[in-house]
Amino acid sequence: MAGILISLVLLTFMAVTAFYVLRLRHLFSVVMLTGVFSLLSAALFTNLDAVDVAFTEAAVGGGISTVLMLGTLALTRRREKVPETLSIGPLIIALVTGAALVYGTLDMPRFGDPNAPALKHVVPEYIEGTANDVSMPNIVTAVLASYRGYDTLGETAVIFTAGIGVLLLLVWRREEDEEDEDGEKEDRA
Amino acid sequence: MIQDILAHYNYWIIMVLMMIGIYIVASRGNLIKKIVGLNIFQTSVFMLYITMGKVEGGTAPILTGKPEVFSNPLPHVLILTAIVVGVATTALGLALVVRIREAYDTIEEDEVRDQDNATVAEEMSRAAR
Amino acid sequence: MKHHLVLRVVTKLMIPFILIFGLYVQFHGDFGPGGGFQAGVIIAAAFILYALVFGLEEARKVVPDGALRILVPAGVLIFAGTGVATLLMGGKFLDYDVLRPSDTGGQHLGIWLVEFGVGTTVAAVMIAIFFTYAARPHQIDDEDW
């Protein structure tokens, strides 16, 4: 019960943080609040027994992603332009989608249900198998690297590709391109 | 009644977070704010998965040799990789923002669109002449 | 941030511990929480901290661009190479059991290799991404924040 209460409190904190992310115009504060949001979610993951995930989220969300956002701010600007009108369209989309999703959750198994369908399919096999075939204490590592090795290979390839993409966009430019761009700027001026 | 609310409260808050994320992406013209919105949306999807994996009275899925109830390890695996992929793709998005800033000297969506329209109009009039 | 003495001293003290912790998370991931993804990010965080406090030029001396260019694809190649090795040894792709004759030894070796590959790629990509951001000319002055 205490565990559930803690997660509810953390979730409420996160909702407040997200609301302020929406409201604030100063991008520096927005980025810092995103870091707070990530740390809160890391705390929530720990509370929900997902220690490996919490670990990753704290290092990625609280650390690297915040640093990258700050780096981008340093390269661009730190204030958001004031929007001219209140955006009704997006609000309606968000409200309708949200209502549909909340309606959908009414059929979900209750929070912490030990008989949830998600627990019944392959998970018992994985837990048994980790003990007998892989003989590793950490089930998450065993599933990640052994049972779902193909997935992980794919994810690693995605990270590799994204990294190459960033390098292509920001570093490895041919000299002709730079000359072209200078030419364009002069044209426009 | 309170039991019912507690049983689904986590889902509802996560939906609220998701909708805040979607609203930021759809309504704000600032490209960095859009990426922050996407991040919030992404994190709430992560939380949706992890809350579904929680089992009452369960522990972290690490075998200790004693018979125990474990929370569902499968969502943990999926989300663990998704977080790192997420930061890599966020970095790619931010790199695009930096390049847009260099090409257009702005990171506001509408200003980029205005400049594009102006360029197109100029080219059209040049072609007409 | 070259003028902040306290930051410099504390950073110098902390970086070895962050690195050791990263290695612990990498190689103890089979037993406790941890693994390649987390370890990669933690090790990258150590280098990013170094670059933040001591400047990009110093950090580039520690991790030269050439090394990053090798390490980024090396991790993926280790991962995929493990799969190819299992194929060549008569198993299925990423079927670690054939790597070693003993009962579970193959699984342990395979998971170790795969996690090592993941950690390498993640750490190298994160460092490379940060370095590219830091190398661009800044638009905002330090006092402007």
Side-chain angles (χ1 to χ4, degrees), chain A residues 150-168:
Chain A
Y150 282 29
D151 288 11
T152 313
L153 179 58
E155 312 262 15
T156 318
V158 171
I159 294 167
F160 168 74
T161 317
I164 297 293
V166 173
L167 295 181
L168 281 176

Side-chain angles (χ1 to χ4, degrees), chain C residues 56-81:
Chain C
L56 188 61
E57 293 314 307
E58 293 293 311
R60 277 238 159 101
K61 280 181 207 152
V62 182
V63 195
D65 281 358
L68 283 179
R69 261 174 233 189
I70 293 167
L71 285 175
V72 168
V76 185
L77 286 178
I78 292 172
F79 200 140

Side-chain angles (χ1 to χ4, degrees), chain B residues 20-70:
Chain B
I20 291 180
I22 252 190
Y23 180 75
I24 293 178
V25 174
S27 71
R28 293 292 186 264
N30 187 293
L31 294 172
I32 292 182
K33 195 82 176 262
K34 265 187 200 293
I35 289 183
V36 168
L38 268 183
N39 263 336
I40 289 181
F41 188 81
Q42 180 180 291
T43 312
S44 37
V45 173
F46 296 163
M47 288 188 297
L48 181 65
Y49 268 68
I50 300 292
T51 48
M52 280 197 271
K54 168 74 180 168
V55 175
E56 220 159 45
T59 60
I62 292 170
L63 299 168
T64 53
K66 285 173 274 178
E68 274 178 305
V69 184
F70 297 114

Side-chain angles (χ1 to χ4, degrees), chain B residues 55-114:
Chain B
V55 175
E56 220 159 45
T59 60
I62 292 170
L63 299 168
T64 53
K66 285 173 274 178
E68 274 178 305
V69 184
F70 297 114
S71 288
N72 189 348
L74 194 54
H76 299 185
V77 175
L78 303 179
I79 296 314
L80 163 58
T81 50
I83 288 176
V84 183
V85 169
V87 74
T89 46
T90 303
L92 191 64
L94 291 172
L96 281 172
V97 173
V98 171
R99 296 290 284 123
I100 288 173
R101 159 74 179 64
E102 282 170 358
Y104 291 88
D105 201 33
T106 176
I107 52 168
E108 299 288 340
E109 203 183 34
D110 49 345
E111 288 172 15
V112 172
R113 201 188 308 125
D114 289 348

